[in-house]
Every structure is written in C-alpha cells, then in structure tokens.
Amino acid sequence: MASQQYTKLIRGLVISASFIIVSLILWNTYSFFQKFKKEERSKIEVLALAYKRLNILDLNADITLEYKIIGNNHNIPILITTEKGEITEWSNLDPNKVKQPNYLKKQLALMKSQNVPIVVSYLDKEKNKTIRLYIYYRDSDILTKLKYYPIALILILVLFTSVIYLFFKSSKVAEQNKLWTGMAKETAHQIGTPLSSLLGWIEILRIENTDKNTVQEIEKDVSRLNTIAERFSKIGSVPEVKKKNIVATTKNAFAYLQARSSKQVHFNFNSSSPVINANINEQLFSWVIENLIKNAIDAMEGKGEIHLNINETSKNILITIKDTGKGISKKIQQKIFSPGFTTKKRGWGLGLSLAKRIIEDYHNGKIGVINSEIGKGTTFEISLKKQL
C-alpha cells in the first residue's frame, strides 16, 4: 500500500514538474516572440526614415547610408503604397509569385491584418505639396516559424505523455495478466485434489450397484470439472492445435449445456455436413462455444430459443449462434469484447474477452456480432479456416 502511494506521489511530482517546465518554455517563447516583433517594427521604422530621407535629400547629397539601410532588409517582406492604395514598391516577396494576378493584393491584405503601417510624409518641393507613403510589412519567415513553435512543443508533449501513459497501461495489463495466469494455474492445481477423490467415490458407487444413470451423470460432471481444470492450467501458455472434426466438438459442448439447461430454452443444432475439419484446441474451442451459449441463456433470462448453425465455404467454416434474448445496443457492441466490460450485475467481464483471444490469437479466426436487435436477439459468428 505504501509502495503504491509512493509511486503515485512520484508520478504526480513528475507530471507537475513537466507542466511547470513546459509552461516556462511557452512563456519564454512568447516573451521572445514579442521582443522579436518589436525589433522588426524598429527595423521597419528605420527603413521608413531612410525612404523619407531619400525623397527629401538633394541629388548631390550622400545617400550611401540610406541605400545601405534599405539594402540590408533581407528578411521582412514589405509593400509601399500611395495614399490611394496603389502599390509602388515591394521587397522580400517571391518574385515568381509576384507575376500572378492578385498576389500583391493578397499580401497587402495579410500585412494589414498583422501590423499597423508606418506612414512616411515628406514635402514635394516641385509640386509644393505633402506626399504620404504607407509602408506595410508582415512577420518575417523566422518570426512565423517561431509563432508555431509553442504548438509544436505542445504536440510533442501530448505525444510524449501518450507514450508514457500507454507504457504504464501496458505494464499494468501485463502485471494483471501475470496475476490472472498465476491464479488460474493455482486454481487448476487445487481442483486436481478433490477430482481424484471424486473418481474414487464413483468407483465405490459402481461397486455398491448404484443406479447406472446416476453414476454416468456424476461421471460426466467429474469429467467436466477435469476439463475445466485443464483449461485453467493452459492459461498463459500457447495451446496445441490439431486437426479435428469441428462439428462433433461443437455438438458435444452444445449437448452438454442443453442437458443442464431449463426446459424452457429450446436448442436447435444444424450443420451443413457431419464432418468439417479445422485445426483447433478442443478444450479451448469448446469453452468458447459454451461461453457464447451461456451468455445467450442469460440474455433470454432462461426462456427462448438458441440456434447453432455450422456452414462451410471453399476456405472457411462459419459457426453462428443466434438467441432470442434482449439484444445488444450498437453503442456497446464494440465494447463487449473488452476485458472487464460487462452488463451483468455479477461477473468479471472476462468471458467474451477470452473468447476473442482464443479464436483470434490461438486459432487465427474471427469472432463478432453480425446482427443484434433490441428485444429480438443477437447473432454471434465464428469464422475459422477449413482443413481438407
């Protein structure tokens, strides 16, 4: 208990520290962005002053400094317009795109949305009137990339957090699986001792001439317990599959539950052929069939019809189990195979999860709900590869 609390404390501290570090990085990036933006504004103001001086200086004046200031702007895209909005000059824009219709107008609209223009006013001595030029500019490519840096950082953080979460989750699932495997094997071991005693009592009952039918039924149940013990003992290990007549295996599991279910449940078994072979592990496959039939009986609340049909195609075997129970809503049809999910008041929610694992992982088949209507029933289908 103390170890779990310590782990939670460490995890909380790591998450808090990560959040603080990322917050500081984001704040620092934002501050740098604003500072960089102000510096670009200052450069454009100096650039505007250079343009102004070019227009008011005499032709004989030294304009080396002004040209140097204008020529040193290699990063910030600018557009210069008249008072009427006519574009007279542009700089640091793609020369190939400038030739495209409306390209400059679109750039001008973008610049207006990003920054307030700098107005350059000077006196035109020849015309004796004040001329105004408007210098528009947008963020440099470096500043634009910097703007998206926090978003990239957040995405990286989300990805990193997701990886950590999945790692802890998979570790926890692996630990739980190890625990379940240990419990299953221990259960199989514990069942073995009373099973041996029961077999001895059956022999005593035979010696004492107990009714044969009674002894046979007890023997069937003992055999059933032995099968269950073997199933539990194989959890956690790769089961052995062999070529078997799947019709006979399915019918035996079907008949066992039919004999021990309410007479109000009508069982119907049908197969397109008496012999259809597949590579299966009899014990585990029988468990899947029994689990689906038990679920069907529970869904019908002990009253209704169960139809099990086996059909074959050129390559596959299709086993459908249909009941007349309460049905499964579409919202939870994808959840019913998830470990721990159950709609029953009592239960672990492991039956369908294990059934899916047995069919898909150990038999290379498929299992799923092919049809379900509320109040009318559900049809499950198992698909396996046929062996000739």
Side-chain angles (χ1 to χ4, degrees):
M1 187 69 180
S3 177
Q4 291 180 350
Q5 290 178 345
Y6 180 74
T7 303
K8 288 181 178 179
L9 178 62
I10 294 297
R11 191 181 301 173
L13 290 174
V14 170
I15 293 172
S16 300
S18 302
F19 179 78
I20 292 171
I21 291 170
V22 171
S23 299
L24 290 173
I25 293 173
L26 291 175
W27 173 253
N28 186 59
T29 304
Y30 175 77
S31 301
F32 182 71
F33 176 82
Q34 295 300 323
K35 183 180 179 180
F36 201 8
K37 196 173 180 70
K38 286 180 181 179
E39 288 182 0
E40 288 196 349
R41 178 77 179 184
S42 298
K43 289 179 181 179
I44 295 299
E45 288 175 350
V46 173
L47 188 71
L49 184 59
Y51 273 107
K52 182 178 180 179
R53 286 180 59 81
L54 279 176
N55 285 285
I56 63 175
L57 289 174
D58 294 332
L59 293 176
N60 296 324
D62 185 5
I63 57 174
T64 304
L65 179 61
E66 285 74 13
Y67 270 117
K68 189 173 183 180
I69 292 171
I70 295 171
N72 281 340
N73 176 34
H74 302 296
N75 300 319
I76 307 172
I78 64 171
L79 283 171
I80 301 176
T81 70
T82 62
E83 289 185 87
K84 294 181 179 180
E86 297 172 348
I87 298 173
T88 58
E89 290 185 52
W90 58 269
S91 179
N92 298 324
L93 294 173
D94 190 340
N96 296 320
K97 292 183 178 180
V98 168
K99 299 176 182 179
Q100 297 177 2
N102 300 321
Y103 175 75
L104 291 178
K105 289 183 178 180
K106 290 179 180 177
Q107 287 296 310
L108 180 60
L110 177 61
M111 292 177 184
K112 286 181 177 179
S113 67
Q114 287 189 358
N115 299 292
V116 177
I118 295 174
V119 182
V120 177
S121 300
Y122 63 92
L123 179 64
D124 189 336
K125 294 179 180 179
E126 293 181 2
K127 297 180 181 180
N128 194 27
K129 70 173 184 178
T130 301
I131 303 297
R132 286 187 177 87
L133 295 178
Y134 293 83
I135 300 179
Y136 292 92
Y137 68 101
R138 64 175 172 81
D139 298 337
S140 63
D141 292 339
I142 296 175
L143 195 61
T144 302
K145 291 177 181 178
L146 187 63
K147 185 190 300 182
Y148 294 109
Y149 174 75
I151 298 174
L153 185 65
I154 292 172
L155 290 176
I156 291 171
L157 178 64
V158 170
L159 179 62
F160 182 70
T161 305
S162 300
V163 170
I164 293 176
Y165 171 76
L166 291 174
F167 173 76
F168 277 111
K169 186 177 181 181
S170 61
S171 298
K172 187 176 181 180
V173 170
E175 186 178 346
Q176 289 177 340
N177 287 339
K178 188 176 180 180
L179 177 63
W180 283 113
T181 300
M183 289 178 63
K185 290 184 179 293
E186 179 62 21
T187 301
H189 177 71
Q190 293 295 336
I191 290 175
T193 303
L195 271 177
S196 300
S197 298
L198 287 172
L199 289 171
W201 284 109
I202 289 173
E203 292 303 318
I204 292 173
L205 290 174
R206 282 202 179 99
I207 293 171
E208 293 182 352
N209 296 321
T210 306
D211 180 62
K212 290 184 179 180
N213 291 330
T214 301
V215 174
Q216 286 177 353
E217 288 302 316
I218 294 173
E219 203 167 20
K220 287 179 182 179
D221 287 332
V222 171
S223 176
R224 166 73 172 173
L225 284 172
N226 187 59
T227 300
I228 292 172
E230 288 185 15
R231 289 172 184 168
F232 273 93
S233 67
K234 291 180 179 179
I235 290 177
S237 58
V238 179
E240 183 183 2
V241 294
K242 293 182 179 179
K243 185 178 178 180
K244 297 287 182 179
N245 178 12
I246 203 167
V247 177
T249 301
T250 305
K251 193 170 185 179
N252 288 338
F254 189 83
Y256 179 84
L257 288 178
Q258 182 180 7
R260 286 157 177 76
S261 298
S262 168
K263 300 300 180 182
Q264 292 183 309
V265 178
H266 301 282
F267 288 77
N268 298 283
F269 183 93
N270 182 59
S271 177
S272 60
S273 174
V275 178
I276 305 175
N277 293 320
N279 286 332
I280 61 171
N281 179 283
E282 277 191 293
Q283 292 176 340
L284 293 180
F285 181 78
S286 297
W287 183 88
V288 172
I289 297 298
E290 292 168 11
N291 186 267
L292 292 176
I293 293 173
K294 285 179 181 179
N295 284 346
I297 294 171
D298 291 342
M300 297 186 299
E301 297 180 349
K303 184 178 181 181
E305 296 180 4
I306 295 177
H307 299 268
L308 193 153
N309 296 301
I310 303 177
N311 295 295
E312 58 181 320
T313 64
S314 59
K315 295 182 179 180
N316 297 320
I317 305 168
L318 301 176
I319 304 169
T320 58
I321 298 176
K322 181 181 180 181
D323 64 60
T324 56
K326 55 188 177 182
I328 305 171
S329 67
K330 291 183 178 180
K331 291 182 179 179
I332 65 171
Q333 283 183 22
Q334 297 298 323
K335 299 179 182 179
I336 58 175
F337 292 102
S338 300
F341 181 83
T342 180
T343 57
K344 301 175 184 178
K345 293 181 179 179
R346 298 178 63 184
W348 293 89
L350 296 175
L352 288 177
S353 174
L354 288 173
K356 184 179 179 69
R357 184 173 180 178
I358 290 169
I359 294 299
E360 295 187 355
D361 294 351
Y362 299 148
H363 293 83
N364 296 318
K366 294 180 180 179
I367 182 173
V369 178
I370 60 171
N371 183 54
S372 187
E373 294 183 51
I374 301 299
K376 293 186 178 181
T378 301
T379 302
F380 282 86
E381 183 181 76
I382 298 172
S383 174
L384 297 173
K385 291 181 180 179
K386 185 169 67 173
Q387 296 295 318
L388 300 177

